[in-house]
Amino acid sequence: MEKLKALITEEQGQGMTEYGLVLGVIAVAVVGILITFRGEIEELFNEAVDAIDSRPTEESTPTN
């Protein structure tokens, strides 16, 4: 019975468990934010790709 009480009251490893739980909550929050702003993020990347694609290349610039 003493060993069972010791297992219940032992606090070793509790800190790592708390850090793991906090990290899990942060991960879920980040995924939720990414899902919420998916359209805006996609639009931002598409604008960047369009800006890169519309940039003049060396072949299209006139040379003297």
Side-chain angles (χ1 to χ4, degrees):
M1 193 63 160
E2 292 298 320
K3 287 188 178 189
L4 184 58
K5 284 182 184 179
L7 283 174
I8 293 173
T9 60
E10 188 173 327
E11 294 181 8
Q12 185 177 359
Q14 180 179 354
M16 290 301 291
T17 303
E18 291 172 354
Y19 285 124
L21 288 172
V22 169
L23 184 60
V25 168
I26 291 171
V28 168
V30 168
V31 169
I33 290 169
L34 289 175
I35 289 171
T36 302
F37 294 110
R38 187 184 83 181
E40 288 84 357
I41 294 170
E42 187 176 342
E43 184 178 327
L44 182 67
F45 276 102
N46 287 335
E47 288 175 6
V49 169
D50 291 341
I52 291 171
D53 285 343
S54 66
R55 191 180 74 192
T57 62
E58 290 181 24
E59 297 171 359
S60 64
T61 56
T63 57
N64 292 335

